[in-house]
Amino acid sequence: MGSCIICGTSVEGHICETHQQDVVFEFRGTNADQLTPGRFYRGTVDGYAEFGVFVDIADRVTGLLHRSELDQRLESLEWEPGDTVFVQVKNVRDNGNIDLGWSIRQSEREFRGTLIDDPEEDFALLKENVEDDDEDDDDGPVRHTVGQVPDKSERDDTRETGQTGAPADEESGSESDDTEIETEAADAGGSGGAAVVETEPQTDGEQTAVERTQVAVETLEDRVGDDVRIEGEIADIRQTSGPTVFELRDETGAVDCAAFKEAGVRAYPEVEDGDLVRLDGEVRRRRGELQVETEALVVLEDDEHAAVSERMADALTEQARPEDVEPLADDPAVDGVIDGVREAATAIRRAVLEDRPVVVRHNATVDGYVGGVAIERATLPLVRDQHGAADAEYHYFDRRPLEDGVYDMQDATQDVTGMLDNRERHDEKLPLFVFVAAGATRESMDGFDLLSVYDADRVVLDAAEADPEVGDAVDTLVSPSLTETDAETTASAIAATVAAHVDEDVREEIGHLPAVSFWEDAPESYVDLAAETGYDADDTREIREAIALEAYYQSYEDKRELIADLLFPETDDERGLASHVSEQFRTKMDAEIETAEANLEHRDVNGIEVAVLDTDAFAHRYEFPPTNLLLDELFRRHRDDVDVVVGLAADELFLRSTSALDVRAVAASAAEEAPNAGLHAKSTRDGCLEFLSGERDAVLDAVLDAVADVA
């Protein structure tokens, strides 16, 4: 039996349970499962990854300090490989992965002692800390080496000065003596969740039942000392060297609840993150923070579970629902779906409140980028308010472009793999997926079906008339029928209106975005709105062309900072960026158009004037502009002379028409004439059909006949 080096309490070894987290350990083990969660360890920086820092605790024992645990952005860390750092072991997973937490103490002198954690020994051996002779001994904590145990008078002195030892009970004011049993858990990872668990006298016979009043978390401030009952969700579980701390959240707030079985042993092991529970306990104040001392904890099931779940969901939805906000400008198409706009904004705001990441999947076009950035601009301030970490906006919000405006199996597989990995490794909740200028057509159904397997919520913001099947597959669909509204709009105009509902403070900042997304015939209401925010027609044209050019390069990247500089310039140099990039757009586009126009093949098909461009032969396949943009520009320039522009590649065919074409109907009709071509509609949004390259000529003839019939 020894004495605690800090307070002198009799212990096996040299540190009591109360002060386990006031010292730093040097690990001498060889396996991850020999580590003790809750302790602070000295480690060595091994290297960086996109999601955090790898730290060696010992040879072949490496943990991950995830970027969400840092108190600053990962990019701002000045640690180099080989640097000594101090971290907390938060969890050792069954697969051997070690989750590390940030330590605000990054110097050995800031701990009260250094111990050797050697699994081969019965107890940890104290390692002497060397004090700097120039330092005043009164400036830091009292330290002891092996064999130096403070006597009772010294412990009493240090308690009075507050330098070492366990403080007296703030509420009772009584002093602790050697016979009093007190277990106090230090702050787990600096999260403010300190807990004190005191043993209560045992009595024979039945315990007297305590009447419990079910209360909301927000009322606990006025109930210190009361026995209460709380129902809600377990938002987090932290195992300290003393009690288990459950963070319980109801519809009004969250509170830490300490449950003690024995020092360092998990209480209520059947309770997991996300469970809905009923908790009985006494409200206390510890170190200035409210805490409930848990006496009973039960996981709710069946009707009780359903009732609490519905109550919390309704309250959260009501909290997330925005006030009624006027549309950015007069737009009949947007007015026709304003209820859906509010539902979409509510879903986004609720995801932020639930600490769920928001992932925006948008078409890699001007319309998609502008709409996606509008949602980004409105959501990031809410994320920053909800989370204190400096890099929260990178952890809880992501914007990922999609090619062709279709959410296919490749995209869905990538998203599902990522979200499941984040859930497994970092206990991250499943994200809310927001689709902008994408996902409204049935070509995305396979991707949505995969998301449905994992109950991942989806919101679709689009200007295309949606397939009924898609409407059944998403939670919120904002996609107007242009035939009903008798007006045309863009997905970004809808997304900007949603953004104004998500956070009305960005209304003026995003006012010019809808005008940017119209390649021609922008509604006067959006033109006037852009002018009010300082952007004339030339400004919006230059921004549109600049984004179209940049969207082509690294189309899979969000290019967050570059796109922000184009859309929201803060300096004169940034204001000139769009003009500079726009010049490159015009130069490249004009050169390609000149070549294409010289090689257009004109045909008359049953009275329909058709212009055909062999895009493989007379367009640069891997240079700007891409086929879609090239054909769009050709169509705008020649639609007074031709009815249909066709772009023919090796195994794809693109259609642009002056009259509305049902691309699927064209594909079905042409497939009957060319049955061996494997012809089908690849993207109705882009007017794209796909076929077997060996049937190229037969497909062209069949499609032109079908277009003439449909037209």
Side-chain angles (χ1 to χ4, degrees), residues 503-578:
D503 184 1
E504 194 174 5
D505 290 342
V506 304
R507 187 182 186 89
E508 294 184 5
E509 189 179 9
I510 65 175
H512 64 293
L513 297 189
V516 170
S517 62
F518 287 89
W519 282 93
E520 56 184 353
D521 300 330
E524 284 298 321
S525 58
Y526 288 132
V527 174
D528 294 341
L529 182 61
E532 291 174 9
T533 56
Y535 292 86
D536 60 24
D538 285 339
D539 293 331
T540 56
R541 175 187 57 79
E542 289 176 348
I543 295 173
R544 177 167 54 252
E545 293 173 347
I547 292 178
L549 180 68
E550 295 299 348
Y552 171 76
Y553 297 105
Q554 289 185 302
S555 59
Y556 51 87
E557 293 285 356
D558 65 353
K559 301 176 278 289
R560 181 181 288 191
E561 288 76 16
L562 174 58
I563 298 298
D565 288 346
L566 289 171
L567 287 173
F568 309 104
E570 297 180 357
T571 65
D572 290 340
D573 287 342
E574 290 177 4
R575 190 70 186 243
L577 176 63

Side-chain angles (χ1 to χ4, degrees), residues 461-531:
L461 311 178
D462 209 342
E465 185 173 359
D467 290 322
E469 295 179 23
V470 175
D472 294 336
V474 298
D475 304 281
T476 304
L477 180 69
V478 187
S479 189
S481 170
L482 304 185
T483 57
E484 294 178 4
T485 60
D486 194 28
E488 289 193 4
T489 191
T490 58
S492 57
I494 295 174
T497 308
V498 171
H501 283 71
V502 172
D503 184 1
E504 194 174 5
D505 290 342
V506 304
R507 187 182 186 89
E508 294 184 5
E509 189 179 9
I510 65 175
H512 64 293
L513 297 189
V516 170
S517 62
F518 287 89
W519 282 93
E520 56 184 353
D521 300 330
E524 284 298 321
S525 58
Y526 288 132
V527 174
D528 294 341
L529 182 61

Side-chain angles (χ1 to χ4, degrees), residues 182-193:
E182 179 178 305
T183 305
E184 181 176 356
D187 182 354
S191 63

Side-chain angles (χ1 to χ4, degrees), residues 634-648:
L634 271 176
F635 179 68
R636 283 192 289 268
R637 296 191 184 193
H638 292 274
R639 63 185 170 192
D640 291 338
D641 304 320
V642 299
D643 300 303
V644 178
V645 172
V646 176
L648 183 63

Side-chain angles (χ1 to χ4, degrees), residues 266-390:
R266 172 78 142 80
Y268 302 103
E270 73 278 6
V271 178
E272 299 178 351
D273 278 349
D275 281 347
L276 296 183
V277 301
R278 177 186 300 116
L279 184 145
D280 293 342
E282 180 185 351
V283 183
R284 297 188 182 183
R285 189 179 300 281
R286 298 297 183 189
R287 298 182 180 177
E289 299 291 335
L290 286 176
Q291 177 180 284
V292 178
E293 301 294 340
T294 305
E295 297 175 14
L297 182 60
V298 178
V299 177
L300 299 179
E301 298 179 348
D302 302 328
D303 291 345
E304 291 181 322
H305 181 282
V308 173
S309 178
E310 183 177 358
R311 187 194 76 213
M312 293 183 63
D314 291 345
L316 188 59
T317 299
E318 190 59 32
Q319 180 184 357
R321 191 177 304 281
E323 299 292 333
D324 289 345
V325 178
E326 291 295 321
L328 294 175
D330 182 23
D331 185 340
V334 175
D335 292 343
V337 292
I338 196 65
D339 290 341
V341 164
R342 295 192 182 100
E343 290 302 315
T346 300
I348 294 171
R349 289 165 58 90
R350 177 173 172 169
V352 175
L353 292 175
E354 292 178 311
D355 300 334
R356 295 166 57 203
V358 176
V359 177
V360 175
R361 285 298 229 156
H362 62 80
N363 201 356
T365 61
V366 174
D367 194 23
Y369 265 96
V370 171
V373 169
I375 300 298
E376 175 182 85
R377 207 70 174 180
T379 307
L380 289 185
L382 304 186
V383 171
R384 297 187 192 106
D385 290 343
Q386 181 75 4
H387 305 280

